[in-house]
Amino acid sequence: MSQSLSIQENFNLAEYNTMGLTAKARYFISISSVQQLQTLLADSQFQSLSKFMLGGGSNILFIDDYDGLIIHMDIKGIEIEREYKDCVLLKIGAGENWHELVIYCIEKGWGGIENLSLIPGSVGAAPIQNIGAYGVELEEVFDSLEAVNIETGEIQSFNKEECKFGYRDSVFKNELKGAYVITSVKLRLHKNPKINTSYKALSDALERKGISDPTVKDVSDAVIEIRRSKLPDPAEIGNTGSFFKNPVISKKQFNQLKIEYPEIPHYPAGEKVKIPAAWLIDQCGWKGRRFGDAGVHKMQALVIVNYGKATGGEIWALAERIQHSVKEKFGVDLTPEVNIVT
Ligand code: EPU
């Protein structure tokens, strides 16, 4: 047994997933440097085991115990890689907390991620699903990232193009799923930020506060206020934010739905149309319903919550019932936004 790496056996993951599930990992290790990670990956004892990378645990559903090795990313550090006249290039360890990074940048007056305030999770997880909120997606400030190949232990750099970002999507959710461990992320932040208040809920909130020329701090404060009013705090009620992605459907299907539901909210998505999953779920009457300790949040129908002792299986069973009813009523497929671990 590699004592120097302090691997734990039969490890309870309750503190490591925001859904608050008491799943167990056969092996668990926290990694705080790239070297430590490479040592671990080269250790023959663990090569045959299935491995799963865990960041902040805020976008994960463990349906069962995990019969393999969970690698918890804990590489820290925020450094200025390069400073330009109007922007800074920051290199951030994958184990840094996302929201703490946002606050750090706001204190420095650097703009670009203020709309992404209060998103739970780690910096290393952010590019995997190209986190987005209130009109901004990570890819807008993304420069590149470094990742270690799980098979070879080699470090590789990925630029923006190579990450193949999409809506809540990247190459790391598709062809490179499970193949790399992201160890650091580089972001380009602006010293004279362009403020983005295109998202209606955000511009409304600023207007209510009488702010017409907002700073990055004003935007961040408004986003925090909106999120707190709608989304449950995982420290109080277990949840993983939006459980499903907002479905993107064809114009033809949308036009058909619009005949029956003229009020259906929608956003353009290239040649297609994006529909809020929350609205579809809400229309099916799920908001606020509870089955044992698994439920649908009473303020946001897109958020599935664990009121205490729900199991991953119970949460998933509820998610499947929601998928079936949305499919039956609207003919639309809902895809999970969270990572399902079996
Ligand atoms: N709506 C309902 N019922 C509800 C909630 C919302 O009908 O219970 C309808 C409303 O018409 C509303 C529309 O759905 O106008 C959209 O709702 P909202 O603006 O709250 O955003 P969302 O589409 O539900 C997305 C992201 C969130 C992000 C917000 C703000 C996804 C899957 N979710 O939610 O991301 O914070 O926009 O930008 O894209 C996350 O990824 O975990 C997350 C919380």
Side-chain angles (χ1 to χ4, degrees):
M1 177 59 81
S2 309
Q3 290 301 341
S4 60
L5 286 170
S6 78
I7 288 166
Q8 289 170 272
E9 279 185 66
N10 243 336
F11 187 85
N12 185 347
L13 295 163
E15 300 279 299
Y16 288 84
N17 73 100
T18 61
M19 192 60 102
L21 302 168
T22 50
K24 286 215 170 75
R26 184 163 158 212
Y27 297 110
F28 177 93
I29 184 169
S30 260
I31 289 291
S32 54
S33 73
V34 174
Q35 291 71 18
Q36 217 182 8
L37 176 63
Q38 288 171 317
T39 308
L40 174 74
L41 295 174
D43 190 325
S44 57
Q45 195 193 342
F46 298 106
Q47 266 162 5
S48 61
L49 284 176
S50 48
K51 300 176 188 70
F52 186 81
M53 277 309 305
L54 190 63
S58 57
N59 209 38
I60 279 180
L61 183 75
F62 291 107
I63 293 198
D64 229 321
D65 290 343
Y66 187 73
D67 186 25
L69 171 64
I70 300 255
I71 306 171
H72 173 238
M73 174 49 63
D74 201 27
I75 298 177
K76 293 281 165 65
I78 304 178
E79 50 188 85
I80 298 181
E81 174 102 346
R82 239 184 236 184
E83 186 152 2
Y84 302 88
K85 207 167 101 227
D86 46 11
C87 69
V88 283
L89 183 64
L90 279 192
K91 180 176 178 180
I92 310 124
E96 287 287 346
N97 174 276
W98 174 263
H99 181 64
E100 282 169 23
L101 170 71
V102 174
I103 295 302
Y104 174 87
C105 292
I106 287 166
E107 276 167 9
K108 299 272 184 191
W110 300 332
I113 52 176
E114 56 281 359
N115 296 49
L116 306 179
S117 295
L118 215 63
I119 294 186
S122 62
V123 168
I128 298 179
Q129 59 151 340
N130 183 23
I131 56 170
Y134 304 101
V136 171
E137 285 186 329
L138 179 79
E139 65 175 303
E140 292 165 46
V141 292
F142 181 87
D143 177 83
S144 59
L145 61 78
E146 276 179 7
V148 171
N149 183 309
I150 288 204
E151 289 295 314
T152 65
E154 277 169 33
I155 301 178
Q156 195 176 320
S157 178
F158 290 79
N159 65 25
K160 193 160 151 177
E161 213 168 49
E162 289 161 334
C163 289
K164 299 189 187 168
F165 291 123
Y167 162 61
R168 294 293 193 278
D169 205 26
S170 77
V171 72
F172 302 105
K173 280 183 98 171
N174 296 292
E175 55 263 45
L176 295 185
K177 190 172 180 176
Y180 284 86
V181 176
I182 295 172
T183 52
S184 66
V185 176
K186 287 184 196 168
L187 303 180
R188 205 172 280 275
L189 298 163
H190 306 284
K191 292 183 185 171
N192 302 307
K194 273 202 215 91
I195 302 291
N196 180 338
T197 55
S198 60
Y199 203 90
K200 190 158 183 312
L202 177 56
S203 55
D204 286 352
L206 288 163
E207 207 182 299
R208 272 198 308 276
K209 294 167 142 207
I211 300 171
S212 56
D213 189 14
T215 62
V216 285
K217 170 96 169 46
D218 293 331
V219 172
S220 170
D221 288 347
V223 167
I224 290 173
E225 222 177 274
I226 304 170
R227 288 187 74 98
R228 289 218 169 111
S229 72
K230 285 203 206 167
L231 298 167
D233 179 355
E236 285 159 26
I237 305 175
N239 77 91
T240 51
S242 299
F243 197 92
F244 299 103
K245 289 198 210 186
N246 286 332
V248 176
I249 62 174
S250 69
K251 280 200 174 125
K252 188 171 168 230
Q253 189 178 7
F254 171 70
N255 288 332
Q256 276 163 356
L257 284 172
K258 205 166 165 20
I259 297 169
E260 204 177 335
Y261 307 97
E263 75 292 3
I264 186 169
H266 57 282
Y267 317 103
E271 284 299 290
K272 298 188 162 193
V273 184
K274 196 192 268 182
I275 311 287
W279 185 85
L280 298 169
I281 298 167
D282 207 348
Q283 293 294 306
C284 292
W286 288 102
K287 189 144 88 179
R289 289 184 71 185
R290 179 172 173 169
F291 304 86
D293 272 353
V296 177
H297 189 53
K298 52 184 185 304
M299 306 293 287
Q300 227 300 1
L302 193 48
V303 179
I304 298 186
V305 294
N306 175 8
Y307 285 105
K309 291 201 160 53
T311 63
E314 285 163 353
I315 298 282
W316 184 236
L318 173 58
E320 285 189 318
R321 287 181 64 189
I322 293 171
Q323 281 176 317
H324 286 145
S325 73
V326 167
K327 178 80 178 171
E328 210 163 87
K329 189 170 168 75
F330 297 102
V332 173
D333 290 307
L334 290 184
T335 314
E337 193 255 2
V338 300
N339 296 298
I340 310 294
V341 185
T342 50

